[in-house]
Amino acid sequence: MNQNEPNPEKNNNFFNKNPLIAFILFSIVIIVLFKAVIGDDSDLAGKINGQNITRTQEITYADLKRLIREKQVEKVSIGQTYIRAIGNDGNGNVAYTTRTVGYDESLIKMLDDNKINYVGFSESNWFTEMFGWLFPFLIIIAIWMFFAGRMQKSMGGGILGMGNSKKLINSEKPKTKFDDVAGAQEAKEEVLEIVDFLKFPDRYVELGAKIPKGVLLVGSPGTGKTLLAKAVAGEAEVPFFSVSGSSFIEMFVGVGAARVRDLFEQAKKDAPSIIFIDEIDAIGKSRAAGGMMGGNDEREQTLNQLLAEMDGFGTDTPIIILAATNRPEILDPALLRPGRFDRQVLVDKPDYQGRIDILNVHVKGVKQDADVDLEEIARLTAGLAGADLANIVNEAALLAGRKSQKTVRQTDMREAVERAIAGLSKKSRRIDEKEKRIVAYHESGHALLAETTKGAKKVSKVSIVPRGLAALGYTLNTPEENKYLMQRHELWAEVDVLLGGRAAEEVFIGEISTGAANDLERSTDIIKAMVQMYGMSDVAGLMVLEKQRNTFLGGGMTQGREYSDKMAEDMDTFIKRSLQEHYEEVKKRLEEYRGAIENIVELLYAKENISGDQVREIIEAFEIENGIETKLEPKKNIPSSPKTVIDE
Ligand code: ADP
Ligand code: ZN
């Protein structure tokens, strides 16, 4: 284990913050140094003549001519503005200087006549000449740096991004532990092994096991992804390097890539360590989804550098890169390949119990009144994320403070909830009681159909915690084995499960909602594919109407129809009729299992997340009680870590 502190940027000194002043000081030092080394012009003249000068003396032009006439000087150097002469006045060598008075032919003649050696010299040397040229440019650069530096300050970096990038990379050794992350049980379990890799890398390396490199934390903003990543570092007691994807995208091409290089360099130095990249979608957006800007060179370079760095270190180097996003689907597939971010951990919004736990974590530091009831607050905040709850607790404390109370009361908490909800964007909205009821019936309908239909994928989790913008609830399943083929009855079973949501709304609530749009689209697509691609209907028989696309069951784009209008009409009729027939069947099933649905809804409503086993228990009990022959399949091990969403 590495006991070194992860060099935090302590030399965050004056000059780093004031590049302009640093630059000016630097220039002055350089000029003074040159002056000292090269000396000034009078010495220069002396050196040209190879004489040791003991004194310099300024004389008039007439005096110079007199000295020449009297042969009191030995050597004369003639420049454009100065003339120098070396002479000896008996007390040592003297350098006489005088100003020229224009071009004087008689002076040359006089020197020739008196046989005095003379040379011409250029008064400026390479340094002063160069400096004269460069100085204005340097001034311009300095001004530019000053303004650009200001512009970037808000982004947290300096213009000399490559040198200063360490500032953007936060390095710490977090004290956060798993206990500080409340509620996210499944996510915590999934990252648990990472802690072990980091703590005892040798164990794995000796076995020849490949330590995973990248883990993608997927979840809405504020669900605690950063917190979880920190907790992993805290539990493993390793340094935590964090950076935000958006901070890589600067205005100068190449800066982002340099930063990535820096980041990995630091992390490697302090390995075992964790790199955390927040908002990875800012750099990892799929090239295809580039949008209107066309290519973004800077982003692409940064992304390529990141990929190169990830491929660059061996699986025996215990560095784990955790990256956060709430839109994994827009990421470049290159990022998700094996050896890169090949693992995904869902960090969901908390359910009822999760919200109580999170509230409990955050009220710890707050003085509460005895009347504070966190369960009520948890009930009022369905659909909110951990960060929202943390805000609510803080807001309540502020409210109590404003009223000069000694403790935070339940009324403050309630008011804080109302304020938080008013200020929330649509993305993170509370689900009200009415919606919650609709979603609970809808999802229970899916779940019941999934369990009681032969060939349907079994349920592993049902949830009415909203996920993302569109999904108010979901039912998850895991196919029991990897499937490459689907039989006809399995496709119809999928249609039934999809229709279960809408049917439950109709049967139990009495009115249908917009919540089934996605289900209906998918069931329509399945039947269409059965007709067009799989030769599974009487409409087209074995005739293929639509060539297979890469996407499973995806009807997708058509490039002009290759079949008759009659066929198209027949197909439409078939799809519509099949959907209707199956819908009626599904409704019958729901009627038959009315009591079971009510029980599932009750549990789901209270807990917000329930497992497939809980669903099966309820159904089994209902069947026994009502003497219904069981439709449940014999118990198999249904994995508890679901990966596929069968409904949103
Ligand atoms: P994300 O990175 O997913 O946007 P953060 O990790 O930055 O979310 O969460 C912001 C804050 O919200 C955290 O610092 C913490 O105070 C609070 N928070 C979020 N989720 C949890 C949780 N599961 N348990 C405790 N606090 C949480
Ligand atoms: Zn649905």
Side-chain angles (χ1 to χ4, degrees):
M1 207 177 310
N2 195 327
Q3 293 299 334
N4 287 341
E5 277 296 305
N7 350 306
E9 193 57 19
K10 277 188 196 116
N11 50 341
N12 213 349
N13 55 30
F14 179 77
F15 291 128
N16 274 352
K17 284 185 197 144
N18 299 284
L20 178 67
I21 293 174
F23 173 78
I24 290 172
L25 286 179
F26 178 73
S27 308
I28 292 172
V29 168
I30 292 285
I31 292 167
V32 170
L33 276 179
F34 265 98
K35 282 266 179 201
V37 169
I38 293 173
D40 72 8
D41 280 348
S42 55
D43 293 285
L44 198 66
K47 271 175 198 148
I48 286 170
N49 292 323
Q51 299 276 332
N52 280 328
I53 312 293
T54 51
R55 277 177 306 130
T56 57
Q57 190 181 337
E58 218 162 295
I59 55 173
T60 64
Y61 197 71
D63 279 342
L64 176 72
K65 279 192 158 176
R66 183 179 52 78
L67 287 171
I68 292 169
R69 257 196 315 273
E70 293 170 4
K71 294 195 179 171
Q72 296 229 19
V73 292
E74 289 163 23
K75 279 168 195 168
V76 176
S77 317
I78 303 169
Q80 287 107 339
T81 49
Y82 284 100
I83 299 176
R84 296 198 173 119
I86 309 287
N88 194 316
D89 64 353
N91 300 326
N93 287 331
V94 187
Y96 302 104
T97 55
T98 187
R99 280 196 165 265
T100 52
V101 291
Y103 181 65
D104 182 359
E105 216 170 295
S106 69
L107 182 73
I108 307 294
K109 192 170 179 302
M110 196 185 282
L111 288 165
D112 284 338
D113 291 348
N114 290 290
K115 299 206 167 56
I116 290 171
N117 202 2
Y118 62 94
V119 293
F121 78 93
S122 164
E123 282 161 11
S124 60
N125 56 61
W126 66 270
F127 173 70
T128 47
E129 212 152 82
M130 277 249 290
F131 199 74
W133 272 100
L134 280 179
F135 196 71
F137 287 108
L138 291 177
I139 294 270
I140 292 168
I141 291 173
I143 291 172
W144 174 69
M145 274 180 26
F146 178 69
F147 282 106
R150 282 193 149 189
M151 259 150 62
Q152 292 216 319
K153 250 188 200 138
S154 52
M155 302 183 209
I159 189 89
L160 297 173
M162 333 213 176
N164 285 352
S165 66
K166 288 186 181 97
K167 256 198 273 182
L168 289 168
I169 302 167
N170 291 313
S171 154
E172 57 182 304
K173 228 173 172 176
K175 300 258 179 295
T176 317
K177 293 278 150 88
F178 278 148
D179 279 347
D180 300 318
V181 188
Q185 205 48 45
E186 285 168 26
K188 274 198 269 186
E189 275 162 27
E190 290 201 46
V191 293
L192 206 58
E193 59 173 4
I194 296 176
V195 175
D196 212 47
F197 292 141
L198 290 169
K199 262 188 152 162
F200 313 105
D202 296 344
R203 238 189 241 171
Y204 295 88
V205 173
E206 271 161 29
L207 276 170
K210 288 194 176 111
I211 295 177
K213 282 183 184 173
V215 178
L216 205 57
L217 303 175
V218 178
S220 318
T223 45
K225 298 181 291 296
T226 312
L227 191 70
L228 185 66
K230 270 193 193 168
V232 172
E235 291 281 344
E237 298 176 39
V238 301
F240 179 78
F241 296 94
S242 71
V243 77
S244 169
S246 58
S247 77
F248 279 125
I249 308 306
E250 300 274 345
M251 47 184 138
F252 302 103
V253 172
V255 175
R259 251 169 220 169
V260 172
R261 222 173 302 132
D262 259 12
L263 177 65
F264 278 80
E265 220 166 80
Q266 285 190 55
K268 270 184 227 167
K269 238 184 347 206
D270 287 338
S273 57
I274 283 198
I275 294 177
F276 178 67
I277 306 176
D278 204 358
E279 299 175 55
I280 192 160
D281 28 305
I283 21 176
K285 223 179 276 173
S286 150
R287 278 162 258 216
M292 285 164 233
M293 309 271 289
N296 181 336
D297 274 356
E298 168 64 350
R299 207 189 54 220
E300 223 159 273
Q301 277 196 18
T302 310
L303 175 60
N304 286 337
Q305 186 66 35
L306 177 65
L307 297 178
E309 292 287 351
M310 286 190 82
D311 295 343
F313 66 85
T315 42
D316 52 348
T317 310
I319 298 178
I320 291 185
I321 304 142
L322 299 173
T325 181
N326 64 333
R327 290 179 298 172
E329 69 284 352
I330 67 160
L331 291 182
D332 199 301
L335 266 175
L336 308 177
R337 291 216 184 100
R340 294 171 182 167
F341 293 100
D342 47 9
R343 294 183 174 209
Q344 292 199 11
V345 172
L346 275 178
V347 187
D348 273 332
K349 281 190 183 159
D351 60 8
Y352 172 67
Q353 188 56 46
R355 289 197 298 277
I356 294 179
D357 296 344
I358 293 173
L359 286 168
N360 264 315
V361 166
H362 290 281
V363 293
K364 256 185 209 147
V366 172
K367 282 213 177 87
Q368 313 167 57
D369 197 272
D371 77 341
V372 166
D373 175 9
L374 295 183
E375 289 174 16
E376 185 195 347
I377 303 303
R379 245 175 279 126
L380 290 172
T381 48
L384 299 196
D388 303 323
L389 298 174
N391 275 342
I392 285 171
V393 172
N394 189 51
E395 181 76 13
L398 291 176
L399 284 169
R402 213 168 299 151
K403 290 183 247 167
S404 310
Q405 291 166 202
K406 289 261 180 301
T407 52
V408 175
R409 301 191 189 129
Q410 185 70 356
T411 50
D412 305 321
M413 296 289 270
R414 277 191 215 119
E415 198 179 335
V417 170
E418 289 317 312
R419 284 183 178 216
I421 284 160
L424 284 177
S425 63
K426 280 211 183 95
K427 267 187 201 158
S428 168
R429 61 197 188 98
R430 182 174 60 162
I431 307 302
D432 70 24
E433 298 295 304
K434 193 176 126 205
E435 276 175 326
K436 212 171 139 180
R437 198 170 108 90
I438 297 174
V439 177
Y441 276 108
H442 181 108
E443 298 305 329
S444 301
H446 286 307
L448 186 110
L449 262 295
E451 288 302 328
T452 59
T453 306
K454 198 163 174 298
K457 297 171 194 157
K458 300 306 162 209
V459 174
S460 57
K461 178 180 172 184
V462 188
S463 171
I464 54 170
V465 178
R467 173 181 285 179
L469 194 54
L472 293 177
Y474 52 90
T475 304
L476 289 169
N477 71 55
T478 318
E480 280 128 59
E481 63 247 33
N482 270 339
K483 280 198 153 175
Y484 296 101
L485 288 176
M486 281 184 88
Q487 287 183 307
R488 190 156 105 151
H489 81 279
E490 291 168 332
L491 288 171
W492 283 122
E494 197 155 330
V495 170
D496 288 352
V497 173
L498 285 166
L499 293 174
R502 156 62 64 96
E505 289 180 38
E506 190 185 324
V507 171
F508 294 91
I509 293 174
E511 193 184 347
I512 52 185
S513 78
T514 54
N518 188 259
D519 299 336
L520 298 178
E521 187 182 324
R522 285 167 67 180
S523 42
T524 305
D525 280 349
I526 291 172
I527 303 175
K528 194 184 252 172
M530 289 168 81
V531 177
Q532 292 187 325
M533 297 196 285
Y534 305 131
M536 287 184 182
S537 74
D538 298 337
V539 179
L542 297 177
M543 183 180 166
V544 168
L545 308 184
E546 183 80 8
K547 299 214 171 59
Q548 284 206 40
R549 308 256 170 258
N550 273 337
T551 50
F552 182 59
L553 293 183
M557 290 172 287
T558 42
Q559 328 125 313
R561 241 172 40 202
E562 289 173 7
Y563 46 90
S564 67
D565 288 350
K566 170 87 171 41
M567 182 73 84
E569 218 181 299
D570 287 353
M571 180 171 74
D572 289 345
T573 317
F574 175 77
I575 295 173
K576 192 174 162 207
R577 202 190 59 225
S578 308
L579 282 169
Q580 200 55 45
E581 283 171 8
H582 279 262
Y583 187 64
E584 297 304 328
E585 286 302 313
V586 166
K587 279 200 289 188
K588 255 188 234 154
R589 178 88 47 78
L590 292 176
E591 297 280 9
E592 185 185 1
Y593 280 83
R594 196 173 261 277
I597 289 276
E598 295 291 2
N599 289 340
I600 297 171
V601 165
E602 195 182 320
L603 188 64
L604 190 55
Y605 197 81
K607 299 256 194 243
E608 297 178 18
N609 278 335
I610 59 175
S611 70
D613 283 336
Q614 286 172 305
V615 172
R616 283 181 283 278
E617 269 166 36
I618 291 174
I619 294 174
E620 195 177 3
F622 179 82
E623 285 173 338
I624 290 168
E625 200 178 306
N626 293 278
I628 301 174
E629 191 190 335
T630 185
K631 295 188 183 63
L632 293 172
E633 292 192 359
K635 270 215 176 86
K636 272 192 207 153
N637 259 346
I638 294 166
S640 66
S641 169
K643 290 283 183 272
T644 347
V645 182
I646 53 172
D647 168 64
E648 294 189 328

